[in-house]
């Protein structure tokens, strides 16, 4: 079944807060929900489908998970989906919302993300806990595979395989900073140079501090609706035309550390959409670290394996300069990484670009085809990958 025209994203809202000292997680969910619905010209009473990731981290949905948020916002639902796939969940939820709408399960689907890791001084830890917590803990926890170290190993392997340099990694951050200077809500708005990045403190060889994303509070929301609803709202018609999802597991240790789930999810999305990477005018790529973007560029087919260093160099990702504008809001490297789950903001910026609502300095001219990609978990370890291709009619 072709997704095109089956449903439309008519509302998108990103919370401006980066440190929520006076807002609870439930309030943040409500804030973004109301913001996205107002953007669409709808209200909470119109919502009959709700999509929210699970409560694994304790930040995404407090209490009894989505039930608590449904009650808090007073939603009267016909359909609920709390599929958990970490940072890829919200990209995945758009696909699920389209399918639910096409199947007649709901007509107005609301997707929300919210969290307070910065205010609570907490961080994700995918490796800690007692030996009885998860199936893999007895085998992996003794080696302390913390997130930064895992991504450092991916970057080091890329350097070993392809001769990638720290300077090339730094260009991803430089591009993000060039975009973030135009975003009043970005946590890091100063433009940085390659030298600034490689001279920042080393966190885990070869990744420097500026190769790493920010940690922020806040969140975001999307509203996906039936075509009849969309055409009654007189909002720009942004429709998903291709989606893909993949779970990348470690296969007992026999796996390629430079191959993410994006290889499969991207291929599925492009095949369903009937387009190629060369057709994409703008891309929102998960940027937990600079190496994350480079691996995705290769895995999604924007360049060949080993060529992402050349692809990003000399402003290759800067809007108006490079071949492929990426993360024109500043992304997780400079703007925000709400609740340590950046997939939601990737879709929001893609919607802005397709509507022509991005900042004029970074807006892609006549943008009609955009891609958003989320990674849930960590590269070099088990994770989910979700790819979404959007078109403006």
């Amino acid at each position: 079944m072709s997704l095109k025209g089956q449903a439309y994203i008519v509302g998108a809202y990103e919370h401006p807060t980066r440190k929520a000292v006076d807002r609870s997680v439930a309030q943040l969910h409500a804030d973004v929900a109301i913001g996205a619905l107002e953007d669409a010209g709808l209200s909470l009473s119109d919502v009959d489908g709700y999509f929210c990731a699970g409560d694994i981290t304790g930040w995404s949905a407090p209490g009894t998970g989505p039930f608590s948020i449904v009650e808090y916002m007073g939603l009267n639902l016909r359909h609920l989906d709390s599929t958990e796939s970490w940072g890829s969940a919200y990209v995945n939820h758009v696909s699920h919302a389209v399918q639910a709408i096409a199947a007649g399960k709901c007509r107005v689907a609301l997707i929300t993300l919210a969290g307070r890791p910065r205010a609570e001084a907490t961080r994700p830890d995918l490796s800690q806990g007692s030996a009885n917590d998860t199936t893999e803990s007895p085998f992996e926890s003794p080696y302390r595979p913390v997130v930064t170290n895992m991504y450092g190993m991916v970057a080091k392997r890329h350097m070993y395989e392809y001769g990638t340099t720290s300077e090339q990694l730094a260009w991803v951050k430089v591009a993000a900073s060039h975009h973030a200077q135009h975003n009043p809500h970005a946590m890091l708005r100063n433009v940085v140079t390659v030298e600034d990045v490689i001279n920042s403190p080393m966190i885990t060889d070869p990744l420097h501090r500026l190769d790493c994303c920010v940690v922020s509070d806040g969140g975001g929301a999307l509203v996906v609706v039936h075509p009849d609803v969309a055409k009654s709202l007189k909002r720009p018609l942004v429709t998903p035309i291709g989606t893909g999802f993949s779970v990348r597991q470690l296969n007992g240790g026999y796996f390629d550390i430079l191959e993410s789930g994006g290889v499969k999810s991207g291929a599925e999305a492009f095949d369903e959409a009937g387009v190629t990477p060369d057709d994409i005018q703008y891309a929102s790529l998960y940027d937990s670290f600079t190496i994350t973007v480079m691996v995705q560029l290769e895995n999604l087919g924007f360049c060949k394996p080993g060529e992402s260093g050349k692809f990003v160099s000399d402003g290759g990702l800067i809007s108006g300069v490079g071949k492929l504008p990426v993360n024109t809001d500043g992304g997780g490297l400079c703007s925000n990484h709400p609740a340590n789950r950046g997939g939601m903001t990737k879709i929001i910026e893609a919607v802005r670009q397709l509507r022509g609502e991005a900042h004029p300095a970074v807006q892609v001219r006549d943008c009609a085809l955009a891609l958003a990609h989320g990674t849930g978990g960590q590269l070099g370890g088990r994770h989910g990958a979700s790819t979404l291709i959007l078109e403006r009619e």
Side-chain angles (χ1 to χ4, degrees):
M1 179 188 76
S2 172
L3 290 184
K4 186 174 181 177
Q6 296 290 323
Y8 294 88
I9 299 176
V10 295
Y13 181 80
E14 177 187 350
H15 208 292
T17 296
R18 298 298 185 260
K19 189 171 184 179
V21 294
D22 60 347
R23 311 294 289 172
S24 69
V25 172
Q27 286 175 310
L28 292 172
H29 274 284
D31 288 344
V32 296
I34 293 170
L37 287 163
E38 288 181 347
D39 179 54
L42 297 167
S43 65
L44 288 169
S45 63
D46 295 308
V47 176
D48 60 352
Y50 181 56
F51 297 74
C52 175
D55 195 26
I56 290 176
T57 65
W59 306 324
S60 186
T64 51
F67 301 145
S68 293
I69 301 300
V70 169
E71 182 174 18
Y72 185 81
M73 293 194 289
L75 301 177
N76 184 17
L77 301 180
R78 293 195 296 132
H79 186 75
L80 176 67
D81 185 331
S82 58
T83 302
E84 174 62 276
S85 58
W86 289 74
S88 65
Y90 314 96
V91 184
N92 209 20
H93 285 169
V94 173
S95 173
H96 290 192
V98 175
Q99 295 170 34
I101 289 168
K105 301 295 184 182
C106 60
R107 288 174 62 84
V108 177
L110 172 67
I111 309 168
T112 69
L113 156 73
R116 303 178 63 247
R118 188 177 178 210
E120 296 175 6
T122 55
R123 61 181 178 81
D125 200 331
L126 309 184
S127 61
Q128 302 305 303
S130 71
N132 296 321
D133 283 343
T134 64
T135 56
E136 68 273 6
S137 287
F139 306 99
E140 297 180 2
S141 292
Y143 300 98
R144 309 290 289 178
V146 296
V147 175
T148 50
N149 292 355
M150 295 298 290
Y151 280 85
M153 285 199 300
V154 174
K156 203 69 171 178
R157 186 69 188 184
H158 206 279
M159 289 178 165
Y160 175 80
E161 291 281 353
Y162 303 119
T164 307
T165 67
S166 292
E167 287 78 7
Q168 290 173 327
L169 287 168
W171 270 109
V172 179
K173 177 73 169 195
V174 171
S177 73
H178 274 267
H179 297 148
Q181 67 176 315
H182 305 294
N183 182 352
H185 301 302
M187 289 180 66
L188 305 177
R189 294 189 65 191
N190 292 335
V191 174
V192 299
T193 65
V194 169
E195 290 72 23
D196 290 332
V197 178
I198 62 178
N199 288 330
S200 64
M202 185 70 74
I203 300 300
T204 177
D205 189 19
L207 299 176
H208 299 82
R209 178 186 292 168
L210 293 183
D211 284 299
C212 308
C213 71
V214 300
V215 174
S216 71
D217 301 339
L222 297 162
V223 179
V224 186
V225 302
H226 188 279
D228 292 345
V229 177
K231 291 170 185 177
S232 72
L233 296 172
K234 296 181 173 57
R235 299 295 289 141
L237 294 178
V238 174
T239 180
I241 62 172
T243 65
F245 177 72
S246 175
V247 176
R248 177 63 167 162
Q249 49 94 359
L250 303 187
N251 193 34
Y254 295 94
F255 72 102
D256 182 353
I257 197 172
L258 299 180
E259 182 179 300
S260 74
V263 172
K264 290 184 178 180
S265 69
E268 289 179 6
F270 281 115
D271 182 65
E272 187 171 55
V275 300
T276 71
D278 287 339
D279 297 317
I280 300 299
Q281 296 167 278
Y282 165 78
S284 284
L285 302 180
Y286 205 105
D287 55 345
S288 47
F289 299 87
T290 52
I291 186 60
T292 317
V293 173
M294 292 177 65
V295 168
Q296 288 170 98
L297 287 168
E298 296 175 2
N299 288 178
L300 294 172
F302 289 109
C303 60
K304 294 179 180 179
E307 294 186 359
S308 59
K310 180 180 179 181
F311 191 94
V312 304
S313 294
D314 301 318
L317 306 183
I318 299 175
S319 185
V321 176
K323 179 181 179 181
L324 180 68
V326 168
N327 299 344
T328 45
D329 59 342
L333 287 170
C334 289
S335 178
N336 71 332
H337 189 210
N340 298 299
R341 293 162 170 250
M344 171 64 78
T345 54
K346 299 298 172 274
I347 307 169
I348 292 173
E349 183 65 6
V351 170
R352 289 193 192 109
Q353 282 287 351
L354 290 168
R355 288 177 167 183
E357 295 174 353
H359 190 282
V362 299
Q363 176 66 52
V364 176
R365 184 176 180 181
D366 299 324
C367 187
L369 203 60
L371 176 146
H373 180 79
T375 301
Q378 55 187 353
L379 298 188
R382 60 194 59 80
H383 62 269
S386 191
T387 308
L388 175 67
I389 298 175
L390 301 170
E391 181 179 73
R392 173 168 178 167
E393 290 188 1

